[in-house]
Amino acid sequence: MSKQTYECDVLVIGSGAAGVSAALKAKQQGLDVLVVDKEPYLGGTTAVSGGWLWVPGNRQGVAEGDTREEAETYIRTLAGDSYDPEAVGSFLDLVPEALDFFENEAGVEFHYPETAPDYQMDTPGARRSGRALTVSRAGGRMLGKNRLRVQPYLYTYTVFGYMPEIGPDIATFIKANRSLKAFLHVQRRVIRTWVERLLFRRAFTRTNGNALMTRMLASAGDMGIPLWTDARVTEILKGDDGVVNGAVLTGARPGAVRARYGVVVAAGGFSGNAMLRTRTFRHDPRGDDHFTPTIGHQGDSYFLAERHGGVLDTRPHQPASWGPVTVWKNLRGQDRVFPHLRAFGLPGLIAVNRKGERFANESFSYHDFGVEMIKENAEERDTFGWIIADRKAMRTYGIGYAKPWPLPTWYYKKVGYLVEGSSVQDLADRIDVPATALERTLAEFNADAAEGRDGRFQRGSNWFHHFKGDMEHKPNPNLAPIDKAPYYAVKIQMGDLGTYAGLTVNGRSEVVTAEGEAVPGLYAVGTAAVSVFGGGYPGYGANIGPAMVFGYQVGRDIARHAAERAGRRAVPASARAAGRAG
C-alpha cells in the first residue's frame, strides 16, 4: 500500500471524549480537523463508561447554591499535597463556557439528576447534587454511516446486551425479580435489544458513555470531521523551527499527516502497559497484578510525547482512578473482566481479605475502596479480596456479573466467576480463607446490620452510600445480615478506569518538558495528561468532566497559539529585546 501525505490544521490522536471535544470546538471555529484512532472502533474508554461528567459550576449547581469556594475546598481536601490551584482554577473557570458549547453547538443533551452525591459526602465542600451530570440516551440512527463504528459496550457489564442507564433505569433493573412492573420494563428493553441486534447488527438505543460518544460523534460527522480508525500514530513530527506539525501513521492509511496548527494527544493513559505500571503502581511491581477494562490505554500518549521531551507526571497521590475487578475466562477460553463499580454497596454483601476479615467500607466509591484494597495488600505478593454474600442477596441482587434469581448460577460457577459453599465453613475452605475468622466477621457484621448500622466502618451513613444501595431496603439501604445458606464468593482484584498520572501539561494543556518548557504545537488532554484532581476522585465523571472541558479549551485556543508563535518568529530578536527594555 502506498504511503500518502495528508494535510489538516489540527490532528487529534484518540476518539474518546477528550479528543472529540477538541475536534468539535476546533472545527466549529473553521479549522480543518482530522481525528485518528488505532482501535477498530471510535469512542475509546468513554464509550464503555458510565458517561458522567463531574463539572462544578454547571447551571444546576449554581441554581442550587453551589459556590466556587465550596468546590475548591472539596477538591483541595481530596487532592491533599497534590493540589494544583492553577489547574483547578482553570478547570472551574472553563466549565460554564464548555458546557454551553456542548449543549448549544455540539448536540450533546445533558441530563441533570436531582440526586448525584459527591463520592466523599463527609468531606468539607461536598454536595448532594449539582456537580455530576450525565447524558440523555441517544439513537444510533443519528450516526448515519458511522452507526456500527462506535466501540460496543463492555458486554460483561450489560444485561443480556442491554446497558441500563445509571439512575432510575438501573434501579428498575435491580427490582426486576421482585416487581412485575420492573420485570416487564426489563423484558421490553432486552427483547428490543435482541431484535435490533438480530436485524440491524447493533441495537439503536445507546445509553451512558455510549450515548455520550454517539451524540458527539454524530456532531463530528455532521460537521464533516474525518474519523479514521485502525490508524496508529507511530511518531509525532516537528518542523525545522521546533514546532510540532504532524505525525506518521500506520494501519489502514499509512503515511504522514501535516498539521499546520498542532497535534492533540488524547490517546488515553497507560494502565494497559506493564512496564509503565511497574514504575508508577505500587501494588504492581512486577507488571502482573493489575487488570484494566479500559480501551487502548497502552501508554501511546506518553511514548509519543516522550521523544519530544514529554515527561510522566507522577505527583497525584494515586496514579489512577481505581476500580476493583473480577477476571476470568468464558467457556471459549476468552479473557473477561467485570468492574465492580456499585455491586457490593448493596445489602447483604461484604468484602473480606485473605484472612476472612473486612478491611474497608464497602459503600466507598470504587476508587476509595481500591485505595483501601491496595493498602490492605501492601505486604502481599498479590492484591485481591473476596465479595461474600448469602442466598438472600444472591437471589435478590446477584453479585456483579452473576445475575440474580430466576437465572441459574451454574454458568457463573462453571467458568470460575462464582464460588458456592453449603455453609460458611465450606465456603471458607473453597476460597482458602480461615473459617473461624470468616464466621467471626459475619457474626459481628450481622449483629450490626440487623439494627441498620455498621459499627466497624460506618457503611450506610451518608447519601452517597445510600445512592449505591437499595433505597427501598429498610432500615438501611446498604445493610442486611448475611445468614442464609448457601453462601457465595467472588474474587476481586485491582483494576482502574484510567490513569491520573500522565503527561505534564501547563495551563494551556501544552505538553511540558522536564525543564518546564512547553513543546510548541503539542497538547495532551484526557487521561493522556496528569489529572487536575491530584489523585482524588470527587464524584461521578471525574475522568470525563475534565477531559471534555480541557479538550474544549485546546480546540478553542490552538489556532490562536499558532498565530502567537508565528508572530513571535516574525519579530526580530533585537526588536523583542527593545520591547522588553521599554
Side-chain angles (χ1 to χ4, degrees):
M1 185 179 292
S2 61
K3 295 183 179 181
Q4 300 184 41
T5 299
Y6 306 94
E7 302 282 343
C8 64
D9 292 324
V10 180
L11 172 65
V12 177
I13 307 171
S15 64
V20 177
S21 294
L24 289 173
K25 183 58 181 174
K27 183 66 175 181
Q28 187 247 0
Q29 299 192 123
L31 303 185
D32 183 12
V33 183
L34 170 63
V35 176
V36 300
D37 199 306
K38 69 179 180 182
E39 298 295 323
Y41 294 104
L42 298 164
T45 298
T46 307
V48 300
S49 73
W52 288 73
L53 292 77
W54 196 79
V55 279
N58 66 70
R59 56 183 171 85
Q60 178 195 25
V62 171
E64 292 180 358
D66 190 12
T67 67
R68 172 72 168 256
E69 182 181 11
E70 286 180 304
E72 288 178 341
T73 296
Y74 181 63
I75 298 170
R76 184 186 305 111
T77 303
L78 299 190
D81 293 340
S82 307
Y83 184 65
D84 184 339
E86 292 185 9
V88 171
S90 294
F91 170 64
L92 296 176
D93 287 343
L94 284 161
V95 165
E97 179 184 337
L99 294 183
D100 181 71
F101 166 74
F102 290 118
E103 288 190 295
N104 297 316
E105 303 289 342
V108 179
E109 185 179 334
F110 290 121
H111 170 66
Y112 296 80
E114 291 184 10
T115 302
D118 287 337
Y119 280 2
Q120 294 199 18
M121 285 299 295
D122 299 326
T123 297
R127 300 279 298 187
R128 181 174 162 181
S129 64
R131 290 176 177 166
L133 54 91
T134 185
V135 66
S136 301
R137 66 177 56 195
R141 290 182 177 87
M142 68 173 60
L143 286 163
K145 64 181 180 181
N146 290 324
R147 185 178 70 85
L148 299 177
R149 297 185 67 203
V150 179
Q151 176 69 44
Y153 300 118
L154 185 65
Y155 187 80
T156 59
Y157 220 62
T158 69
V159 179
F160 304 115
Y162 175 76
M163 175 64 77
E165 286 183 285
I166 297 174
D169 192 33
I170 198 169
T172 303
F173 267 70
I174 289 175
K175 296 185 294 184
N177 58 357
R178 293 170 284 157
S179 160
L180 178 60
K181 182 178 180 181
F183 174 79
L184 294 174
H185 171 88
V186 171
Q187 185 182 59
R188 287 193 298 270
R189 293 275 192 259
V190 172
I191 290 177
R192 180 174 178 176
T193 296
W194 288 354
V195 170
E196 290 179 353
R197 288 179 62 184
L198 179 65
L199 297 178
F200 306 106
R201 297 173 59 190
R202 182 88 62 90
F204 291 114
T205 300
R206 309 288 172 87
T207 61
N208 302 336
N210 218 272
L212 176 61
M213 289 315 308
T214 292
R215 290 181 178 278
M216 294 178 71
L217 290 168
S219 292
D222 292 343
M223 290 182 179
I225 300 174
L227 304 164
W228 294 357
T229 50
D230 291 308
R232 178 186 290 273
V233 174
T234 59
E235 182 182 358
I236 288 174
L237 302 174
K238 271 185 179 178
D240 294 337
D241 57 3
V243 177
V244 167
N245 65 358
V248 175
L249 298 182
T250 60
R253 292 180 173 85
V257 177
R258 297 295 176 185
R260 287 176 283 273
Y261 294 161
V263 174
V264 183
V265 179
F270 59 85
S271 54
N273 184 281
M275 184 272 286
L276 290 177
R277 292 200 310 269
T278 62
R279 288 172 47 183
T280 53
F281 289 10
R282 290 188 297 275
H283 69 279
D284 194 19
R286 302 174 309 278
D288 61 356
D289 194 26
H290 190 89
F291 307 89
T292 184
T294 58
I295 306 296
H297 288 220
Q298 278 83 40
D300 297 52
S301 298
Y302 167 71
F303 293 120
L304 289 169
E306 181 190 30
R307 300 177 187 177
H308 300 285
V311 294
L312 193 63
D313 191 336
T314 59
R315 288 177 298 168
H317 57 79
Q318 300 298 324
S321 51
W322 306 123
V325 299
T326 297
V327 294
W328 73 99
K329 292 183 182 295
N330 66 10
L331 293 178
R332 297 179 180 179
Q334 298 167 310
D335 292 330
R336 291 289 180 260
V337 59
F338 180 88
H340 291 274
L341 306 185
R342 182 176 188 268
F344 52 110
L346 290 163
L349 293 90
I350 61 171
V352 301
N353 59 18
R354 69 192 74 214
K355 300 174 185 176
E357 301 167 344
R358 292 176 72 205
F359 58 90
N361 184 331
E362 296 90 351
S363 290
F364 275 168
S365 74
Y366 36 87
H367 174 74
D368 294 313
F369 186 88
V371 172
E372 297 303 315
M373 189 169 160
I374 291 171
K375 289 180 184 176
E376 176 63 27
N377 290 272
E379 305 302 322
E380 305 290 346
R381 187 185 190 281
D382 300 311
T383 304
F384 71 90
W386 297 93
I387 301 174
I388 305 295
D390 68 352
R391 180 177 182 270
K392 300 191 307 297
M394 184 66 214
R395 285 175 63 86
T396 304
Y397 306 112
I399 309 177
Y401 176 66
K403 305 300 186 292
W405 178 87
L407 296 177
T409 59
W410 68 265
Y411 173 79
Y412 308 111
K413 291 184 286 187
K414 186 174 182 64
V415 296
Y417 176 88
L418 186 69
V419 181
E420 180 180 328
S422 59
S423 65
V424 176
Q425 170 79 55
D426 184 34
L427 183 69
D429 291 343
R430 290 175 182 272
I431 63 175
D432 194 24
V433 162
T436 302
L438 184 57
E439 289 170 344
R440 184 171 59 248
T441 295
L442 290 177
E444 176 186 316
F445 176 81
N446 290 344
D448 279 357
E451 299 179 5
R453 65 184 183 88
D454 175 17
R456 182 78 184 278
F457 293 110
Q458 289 72 54
R459 172 176 165 183
S461 61
N462 67 45
W463 263 103
F464 173 67
H465 297 176
H466 294 172
F467 200 66
K468 285 188 66 180
D470 179 353
M471 296 293 281
E472 296 183 1
H473 178 81
K474 306 298 181 184
N476 191 311
N478 303 104
L479 299 171
I482 304 171
D483 55 9
K484 299 295 183 184
Y487 295 88
Y488 298 90
V490 169
K491 189 175 185 178
I492 49 175
Q493 295 172 273
M494 208 60 245
D496 72 285
L497 305 184
T499 45
Y500 271 177
L503 291 165
T504 301
V505 292
N506 60 18
R508 306 184 341 166
S509 291
E510 293 171 309
V511 173
V512 174
T513 68
E515 293 73 33
E517 296 293 326
V519 180
L522 183 61
Y523 302 81
V525 289
T527 50
V530 65
S531 171
V532 66
F533 297 132
Y537 204 114
Y540 295 95
N543 285 326
I544 297 178
M548 292 180 64
V549 168
F550 287 122
Y552 164 84
Q553 178 193 33
V554 170
R556 182 194 68 182
D557 296 343
I558 192 168
R560 178 170 59 82
H561 296 167
E564 289 173 356
R565 288 193 299 270
R568 283 197 297 268
R569 288 197 301 273
V571 179
S574 57
R576 291 200 301 271
R580 287 196 298 270

